[in-house]
Amino acid sequence: MSDTSPHASFVRKEMLPEQAPPATAAGPIRWMRENLFSSIPNAIMTIISVYVIYWVLSHVMGWLFLGVWNASSLNDCRTVLAAFGRESGACWAVIEDRWLQLMFGFYPSDQYWRPILAFILMFVALAPVLFSDKVPAKLIWFSMVYPFIAVWLIWGGSVWSPVLMIAGFPIGYLAFKIIGKYAFSGLAIAAAIVAAALWWIVGWGAVDTALNRMIGEPRFETVMAESTAQIEALPPQIAASEAARDAVGEEITVISAERDAVAEQIALIWARLNIDEWTPELAEASAELDAISDPESEEAARLRGDVLQLENEISEAQATIDAAGSVLPSVDELETLQDEFASYQGTLASMRNEMNAHNIELNSLNSELSDATRTLSQLDTLRADQADLPMLRDEARAISRDPNATADEVASAEDAVSAVERRIDDTYGILGLTGLEFVESRAIGGFMLAIIIGVAGIVLSFPIGIALALGRQSDLLIIKMFCVAFIETIRGVPLIVWLFTAQLLLNYFLPPGTTFDLLLRVVIMVTLFASAYIAEVIRGGLAALPRGQYEGADSLGLDYWQSMRLIILPQSLKISIPGIVNTFIGLFKDTTLVVFIGLFDTIGLINAIRADTDWNGIYWELFIFVGLLFFVCCFSMSKYSQHLERKLRTDHR
Amino acid sequence: MASISEPPAESFRLSQLIYDTRYRSMTIQVVAFILIMAGLYWLVNNTVQNLATLGKDFNFGFLSSRAGYDINQRLVEYTSASTHGRAAFVGILNTLLVAFVGCILATIFGVVAGVLRLSNNWIVARIMGVYVETFRNIPTLLWIIVVFAILTESTPSPRDFRGDAPEASMALFDTIAVTNRGVYTPAPVFGDGSLVLGLVFVLSIIGMFAFRSFARKRQAATGQILPVFWISLGIFFVPTFIFYFLLGAPVTLDYPTLQGFNFQGGTHLRGSFIALTLALALYTGAFIAENVRGGILAISKGQTEAASALGLRPNRVMNLVVLPQAMRVIVPPLISQYLNLTKNSSLAIAVGYMDVRSTLGGITINQTGRELEGMLLLGLFYLITSLIISGVMNVYNNSVKLKER
């Protein structure tokens, strides 16, 4: 059969090209139809949400982004805002002025490199734990040494202090090895703990004192001469610096006055402009009011209110103009005046920076002077004490041997001896300091305080938490009861009650006469608190492990501690890492509670800044800044833990 | 004949206490017990010594001495002449009030936010995501202070409600006034016959539940489905309405009115209470939203698909298949969030609300100097409350636990 007629026009030789899908089936319109407008209730919700977002943004964006970054006080902010005709704006100048204080508290500003270095090293130390597959395993040694280095960096001390603290571990290990050869493992462990404890309580202090004395004694003369020279030389320097700072202060006052004069001119122009704007509005409103039929209606009341308000505002603006009295600037000059104002602001900003530099210099000179004075007096006392000490010791010995002496006399004589000895040791401690200068715990505050308490709490609570979790799981009744009671008590009571216990009651529970650092007490309490929560997380991790792992370990003949160390704990700790990160996030946020016991964390500093006369009445900008700090940290940590969860889940498929 | 001799009886050696696993656990427990007792003895001894040095003794007599301070928000009678024990009781009631209202509000916020976050409307899901993430990542104390600042600095003072052209006006048909001293709402006044009305209300709720179980049994027996929702609604409203009018409106509302420079009448909810409850509810609601979302996502998609394949409509799929399974995953973390809210209510001191921590653990301790006894009672209260709440959780867990090997 032949083919169909060659004149058929509908035979195609090739396929038609694909057409693009219709607009409603692809691209952004399809996405909007599916996600935003898929049904009537959905469409209504979309419209309401868009309106809400628009309303919020329109109110907030202007305030946020048209703020004032450059002012010296809240009133100054308002002057700047009025000069540029803005109704309201954020006074970000308070952040620009105080952000270092909010981050570091009262830490000396020339020593900021120390906490910053400790912070960076913290990430290096955490790398083998959190990124174990990308980092060499030997780095774990640095992680174990890091806590001592961090303490040394932040609180200061001689170069040998972290080394001496770390030395406790090799000493304990040595004791373990030696005793282990002659007795069973339990006794060896006990010996290791006893040796390490002895070193940390007694030995380290003795070596430290000896080193201080060895280094401090030859330095006595030089330090004496230095201090005397400083006491001579510094006061004129301080006076000069004060003079310079006062000169800058005077210049600032002069330029502020000139700027305020310009601001007044600008205010007059704005008053004129406002009157021009409001008068027709007033006329309109009055006309409407007259035209209204029912004088008692709500509409009439509202109009009366509007009219009243406009009249008040116009009369206020008129009063400002009348009070000025001098020649009114014309409205065209607004731009030039505003440029002049801005240039004055620029000059003032650079002068304020200069003033800050002078202040920093003055602070350091003053602290040098006070240090020198204190050192000199301490050195004088040192020689006197060293001369008196043998005599005091003889007296104390005589009184203690005297049968007629009362117990009080003996006690007071012994107290006198030990007070003098302590003073001598302290002075040698200052003389022999080779390394970083001391910073008191009182000076640590702000965001740095939150990080220190949070990280220290979690890291120190780790071993305690593991022990509690294992104890809660064990078959030994006494240990199980104790662990359960401990965990439930700590978890049942809010952290703020525990912090109050740390502040008020820890002194009751310790032997009479021991007082120590509030920050140390808080860290101990936070550690105990965190250990209960970590114990629960690890208990969840231990329970998530299949029973087969325990049974396999038993079938291999491993005893309890070996199976824990080699099989159970590595797996369960890996599973619990997301839970531990979540506990850390919660603890980090809870560190803000230390404001109630008098430590100056971010919220305490906010209160202090608001109490300052310059910034009295400001609150939104500070809350937003602190909230943003916490948000960035906690959000990134929670994203990291979600990433970890996803990664760990694929391992166990 | 060979005799089977007994294996030689092992004599007990002292080193068996450590090496023999039968006795080692006993040894460890005894050693642990001795160490714990020694530790406790050392702590108690130190405490006694320190108390003696400070000249204090340990007794709870201060609870019956005169308090001498006022509490501005209270649920029971209290004056400054009442005892410290009474003040502590008022504080406990205040804490429980905040916890109760906060838990209800938090559940509402959390369930709404969690379910909306799963909706297929992109904007709504993202808005709820922003809410959850913002509230979860900023500390509670900061939120409480921020909400309190909003309530006191951005609201009008009662003075602004005066005059012919007031700057501020009352909301909701002139019944609720939001001022910087607090919120004034109408208060119910219970007249004669309100007890009967209350009884009718309680009976109608019981009747509602009875009807539901009756309807369920009838459906199981005969397959007939009754319109449970509408009939329950009727049982809830109709009897109470009828008796309300029959008894001549025993419950009336006392409206707040502006007299002089302040509002009188109605209930005065102070800013500190509202700030604390609202902030805690919003904060805990964010966590509950995550729990709800996780619970619903934990149910595998196969359940929804199989239910749809059986011919169930979407709302029945949710009610009969997905939600009962999701409850098992949602409820335990939900109860622990309730616990967290109760414990976080101790931050009331930041806004000046007098909960148990501010009365017993604050002013009472400052005035009487009895820190040890006060802290002990405070800790005991929180411990008992949290043990009760976790006991409820354990009961629930055990009742829905999957029986495993």
Side-chain angles (χ1 to χ4, degrees):
Chain A
M1 283 295 285
S2 64
D3 271 301
T4 46
S5 147
H7 297 298
S9 58
F10 51 82
V11 176
R12 294 194 60 78
K13 299 276 193 310
E14 64 219 17
M15 294 299 290
L16 273 175
E18 252 187 44
Q19 277 182 324
T24 53
I29 300 198
R30 169 168 175 245
W31 182 86
M32 282 210 312
R33 283 185 67 163
E34 276 188 13
N35 289 326
L36 297 179
F37 298 106
S38 58
S39 65
I40 302 274
N42 245 353
I44 296 178
M45 278 206 294
T46 308
I47 295 177
I48 295 180
S49 325
V50 167
Y51 176 68
V52 164
I53 294 178
Y54 166 73
W55 184 84
V56 166
L57 284 181
S58 67
H59 276 100
V60 165
M61 282 292 142
W63 183 85
L64 267 183
F65 288 108
L66 293 178
V68 177
W69 284 93
N70 180 8
S72 69
S73 72
L74 190 54
N75 287 328
D76 214 31
C77 263
R78 296 206 178 113
T79 319
V80 175
L81 283 174
F84 287 101
R86 291 185 222 144
E87 276 268 337
S88 69
C91 192
W92 295 119
V94 67
I95 307 293
E96 212 239 334
D97 195 24
R98 299 288 185 124
W99 73 279
L100 280 174
Q101 191 183 35
L102 281 170
M103 296 289 284
F104 291 105
F106 300 111
Y107 211 80
S109 50
D110 51 338
Q111 307 280 330
Y112 277 167
W113 62 272
R114 283 159 55 181
I116 296 178
L117 185 61
F119 187 64
I120 296 176
L121 288 179
M122 179 180 82
F123 286 109
V124 174
L126 281 176
V129 175
L130 299 174
F131 301 109
S132 51
D133 42 351
K134 299 196 187 105
V135 175
K138 292 284 183 189
L139 210 53
I140 198 96
W141 288 108
F142 176 73
S143 311
M144 304 212 297
V145 170
Y146 170 75
F148 303 99
I149 298 183
V151 167
W152 173 63
L153 275 174
I154 294 181
W155 274 274
S158 303
V159 186
W160 58 75
S161 347
V163 175
L164 286 181
M165 293 300 277
I166 297 175
F169 289 108
I171 289 181
Y173 185 67
L174 215 62
F176 176 74
K177 274 283 182 239
I178 296 180
I179 306 287
K181 267 192 265 202
Y182 301 110
F184 68 101
S185 62
L187 198 61
I189 294 181
I193 296 179
V194 165
L198 273 177
W199 168 256
W200 278 325
I201 296 178
V202 181
W204 160 74
V207 173
D208 191 40
T209 323
L211 277 171
N212 278 335
R213 227 172 260 238
M214 205 169 66
I215 296 191
E217 192 55 53
R219 277 202 195 159
F220 186 88
E221 294 301 320
T222 39
V223 171
M224 189 93 145
E226 250 180 54
S227 303
T228 330
Q230 271 185 331
I231 294 184
E232 300 282 314
L234 276 177
Q237 280 186 25
I238 292 180
S241 188
E242 270 181 4
R245 184 198 61 176
D246 290 341
V248 176
E250 277 180 28
E251 271 189 58
I252 289 184
T253 324
V254 165
I255 299 202
S256 293
E258 292 179 12
R259 186 201 66 167
D260 287 341
V262 173
E264 271 178 36
Q265 303 274 39
I266 296 183
L268 289 176
I269 297 184
W270 277 115
R272 177 86 256 148
L273 284 174
N274 283 338
I275 292 183
D276 289 342
E277 192 187 314
W278 290 331
T279 319
E281 274 184 37
L282 179 63
E284 230 181 87
S286 309
E288 258 188 68
L289 188 59
D290 292 332
I292 210 159
S293 46
D294 180 11
E296 294 297 321
S297 67
E298 277 218 20
E299 181 79 17
R302 193 178 53 82
L303 278 174
R304 269 200 291 274
D306 286 346
V307 164
L308 205 64
Q309 191 186 9
L310 280 170
E311 282 176 354
N312 282 341
E313 286 174 357
I314 291 181
S315 61
E316 268 180 41
Q318 193 61 42
T320 326
I321 293 185
D322 295 336
S326 57
V327 176
L328 290 177
S330 79
V331 181
D332 320 317
E333 290 184 29
L334 184 62
E335 293 242 353
T336 20
L337 280 176
Q338 281 179 336
D339 289 337
E340 222 183 303
F341 188 87
S343 75
Y344 275 129
Q345 280 286 91
T347 327
L348 276 178
S350 58
M351 288 192 154
R352 265 199 290 274
N353 285 340
E354 232 184 283
M355 177 86 130
N356 273 345
H358 279 296
N359 273 334
I360 291 179
E361 198 192 330
L362 204 57
N363 277 341
S364 71
L365 285 177
N366 273 328
S367 64
E368 264 184 53
L369 183 60
S370 65
D371 279 346
T373 330
R374 197 184 47 223
T375 315
L376 204 56
S377 76
Q378 273 178 327
L379 290 181
D380 288 332
T381 333
L382 180 64
R383 283 301 180 232
D385 281 341
Q386 278 175 329
D388 288 339
L389 192 57
M391 181 187 70
L392 283 173
R393 281 203 180 119
D394 289 336
E395 263 188 45
R397 218 171 301 146
I399 291 188
S400 64
R401 288 207 191 114
D402 186 356
N404 296 332
T406 62
D408 279 342
E409 288 176 3
V410 175
S412 64
E414 286 177 3
D415 283 344
V417 170
S418 51
V420 167
E421 282 177 350
R422 234 195 331 261
R423 226 177 15 226
I424 295 182
D425 281 342
D426 284 344
T427 317
Y428 269 120
I430 296 181
L431 268 182
L433 181 68
T434 40
L436 303 171
E437 64 178 66
F438 288 111
V439 174
E440 291 181 322
S441 293
R442 246 180 331 149
I444 299 178
F447 202 59
M448 192 172 83
L449 185 65
I451 296 183
I452 290 178
I453 296 181
V455 171
I458 284 285
V459 166
L460 292 174
S461 70
F462 217 68
I464 307 179
I466 295 181
L468 283 173
L470 290 178
R472 189 169 179 170
Q473 247 205 349
S474 87
D475 299 322
L476 308 176
L477 192 62
I478 305 257
I479 296 187
K480 179 171 173 164
M481 270 175 18
F482 173 72
C483 291
V484 169
F486 185 80
I487 294 178
E488 291 304 324
T489 312
I490 295 218
R491 275 169 50 110
V493 179
L495 179 59
I496 198 174
V497 174
W498 287 124
L499 286 177
F500 263 93
T501 312
Q503 189 199 18
L504 299 172
L505 296 184
L506 214 55
N507 285 332
Y508 285 165
F509 293 141
L510 294 172
T514 47
T515 49
F516 49 107
D517 210 12
L518 183 59
L519 186 55
L520 192 56
R521 274 182 275 164
V522 167
V523 168
I524 291 177
M525 207 34 116
V526 167
T527 304
L528 289 177
F529 187 78
S531 63
Y533 283 83
I534 296 273
E536 286 296 287
V537 171
I538 295 182
R539 188 168 78 107
L542 286 171
L545 218 48
R547 272 204 80 60
Q549 299 288 322
Y550 293 90
E551 294 166 353
D554 283 341
S555 71
L556 280 177
L558 301 171
D559 70 4
Y560 181 77
W561 288 110
Q562 281 172 329
S563 66
M564 279 298 153
R565 186 168 55 93
L566 296 169
I567 297 183
I568 308 293
L569 279 181
Q571 295 186 64
S572 62
L573 284 180
K574 205 159 87 111
I575 297 180
S576 348
I577 286 184
I580 294 177
V581 176
N582 282 341
T583 311
F584 174 63
I585 295 175
L587 194 71
F588 185 63
K589 288 187 297 175
D590 282 344
T591 54
T592 49
L593 265 55
V594 298
V595 68
F596 290 123
I597 49 180
L599 288 177
F600 277 103
D601 77 320
T602 35
I603 296 192
L605 283 174
I606 287 182
N607 289 341
I609 292 177
R610 286 173 66 184
D612 192 343
T613 42
D614 272 348
W615 301 109
N616 206 1
I618 209 170
Y619 57 101
W620 276 120
E621 295 82 352
L622 290 168
F623 289 148
I624 292 178
F625 179 66
V626 173
L628 209 63
L629 271 178
F630 275 104
F631 183 79
V632 163
C633 285
C634 296
F635 190 65
S636 40
M637 281 195 279
S638 70
K639 278 296 165 210
Y640 172 73
S641 96
Q642 282 172 14
H643 157 79
L644 256 185
E645 255 179 292
R646 250 170 297 163
K647 196 173 73 155
L648 291 174
R649 223 181 300 144
T650 51
D651 287 348
H652 277 273
R653 282 286 160 72
Chain B
M1 195 161 75
S3 63
I4 303 174
S5 56
E6 294 280 328
E10 283 192 10
S11 62
F12 179 78
R13 301 186 306 277
L14 210 58
S15 61
Q16 271 188 330
L17 277 179
I18 301 173
Y19 287 115
D20 193 337
T21 45
R22 290 175 297 179
Y23 303 111
R24 188 191 299 175
S25 58
M26 200 67 78
T27 317
I28 296 179
Q29 289 194 64
V30 168
V31 168
F33 185 71
I34 293 178
L35 282 176
I36 294 174
M37 283 297 138
L40 279 176
Y41 172 74
W42 181 70
L43 286 177
V44 172
N45 196 20
N46 284 340
T47 316
V48 166
Q49 272 187 3
N50 282 323
L51 283 176
T53 325
L54 290 167
K56 295 184 189 181
D57 61 340
F58 185 81
N59 69 21
F60 289 94
F62 71 98
L63 286 175
S64 45
S65 62
R66 185 174 171 277
Y69 61 93
D70 212 2
I71 300 179
N72 58 8
Q73 299 181 69
R74 50 188 181 267
L75 289 175
V76 292
E77 282 296 313
Y78 174 83
T79 64
S80 61
S82 314
T83 59
H84 279 294
R86 184 92 181 156
F89 181 60
V90 172
I92 289 178
L93 284 182
N94 281 348
T95 302
L96 291 177
L97 177 67
V98 167
F100 185 67
V101 177
C103 284
I104 294 180
L105 281 179
T107 315
I108 297 175
F109 288 144
V111 169
V112 165
V115 168
L116 278 182
R117 202 167 169 190
L118 290 170
S119 92
N120 53 7
N121 187 329
W122 187 85
I123 291 191
V124 170
R126 292 292 160 265
I127 291 183
M128 285 305 152
V130 164
Y131 156 67
V132 167
E133 288 303 325
T134 318
F135 272 88
R136 263 165 48 118
N137 289 317
I138 296 183
T140 329
L141 189 57
L142 200 58
W143 279 121
I144 294 178
I145 297 181
V146 164
V147 174
F148 187 63
I150 294 178
L151 280 176
T152 46
E153 314 235 7
S154 312
T155 47
S157 78
R159 214 167 359 116
D160 295 335
F161 286 79
R162 300 185 70 199
D164 283 334
E167 286 175 17
S169 57
M170 299 169 78
L172 217 70
F173 308 111
D174 271 357
T175 51
I176 300 181
V178 179
T179 72
N180 62 0
R181 285 196 215 172
V183 170
Y184 297 88
T185 59
V189 174
F190 296 101
D192 298 326
S194 51
L195 205 59
V196 177
L197 194 66
L199 206 62
V200 167
F201 185 64
V202 169
L203 282 177
S204 69
I205 293 188
I206 296 179
M208 210 168 74
F209 281 107
F211 174 73
R212 282 170 164 237
S213 78
F214 164 74
R216 212 176 306 139
K217 286 200 200 97
R218 194 186 168 108
Q219 182 182 6
T222 65
Q224 180 191 15
I225 298 180
L226 295 168
V228 176
F229 179 67
W230 295 110
I231 299 188
S232 304
L233 218 59
I235 298 182
F236 186 74
F237 280 114
V238 169
T240 320
F241 249 46
I242 295 179
F243 271 86
Y244 183 77
F245 286 111
L246 274 181
L247 292 168
V251 179
T252 52
L253 287 175
D254 179 22
Y255 293 98
T257 49
L258 185 59
Q259 290 167 14
F261 281 101
N262 214 339
F263 283 91
Q264 308 284 348
T267 322
H268 180 200
L269 299 168
R270 279 178 204 260
S272 54
F273 171 70
I274 296 181
L276 186 65
T277 317
L278 204 59
L280 282 178
L282 286 169
Y283 181 80
T284 316
F287 285 88
I288 293 181
E290 281 297 284
N291 285 337
V292 167
R293 185 175 81 109
I296 296 185
L297 283 179
I299 308 300
S300 70
K301 206 159 162 30
Q303 299 281 322
T304 323
E305 291 171 349
S308 302
L310 281 178
L312 294 171
R313 267 176 285 133
N315 67 327
R316 284 201 193 276
V317 168
M318 198 43 109
N319 283 335
L320 297 174
V321 176
V322 174
L323 275 185
Q325 298 185 59
M327 278 299 141
R328 188 187 286 128
V329 181
I330 292 177
V331 170
L334 185 71
I335 298 188
S336 72
Q337 289 304 329
Y338 288 160
L339 195 57
N340 279 345
L341 192 144
T342 311
K343 287 193 292 175
N344 278 340
S345 70
S346 57
L347 294 174
I349 199 173
V351 293
Y353 181 71
M354 302 292 267
D355 71 327
V356 66
R357 159 81 181 66
S358 312
T359 55
L360 178 60
I363 303 187
T364 300
I365 285 187
N366 281 340
Q367 280 192 352
T368 59
R370 299 255 171 220
E371 297 144 345
L372 201 51
E373 297 88 335
M375 280 290 152
L376 214 56
L377 287 176
L378 191 63
L380 214 59
F381 163 69
Y382 278 116
L383 199 54
I384 292 177
T385 314
S386 56
L387 284 178
I388 291 178
I389 296 183
S390 16
V392 168
M393 175 160 73
N394 280 336
V395 163
Y396 178 82
N397 265 345
N398 284 334
S399 70
V400 296
K401 194 161 62 174
L402 296 169
K403 304 285 180 260
E404 264 186 61
R405 265 187 296 119

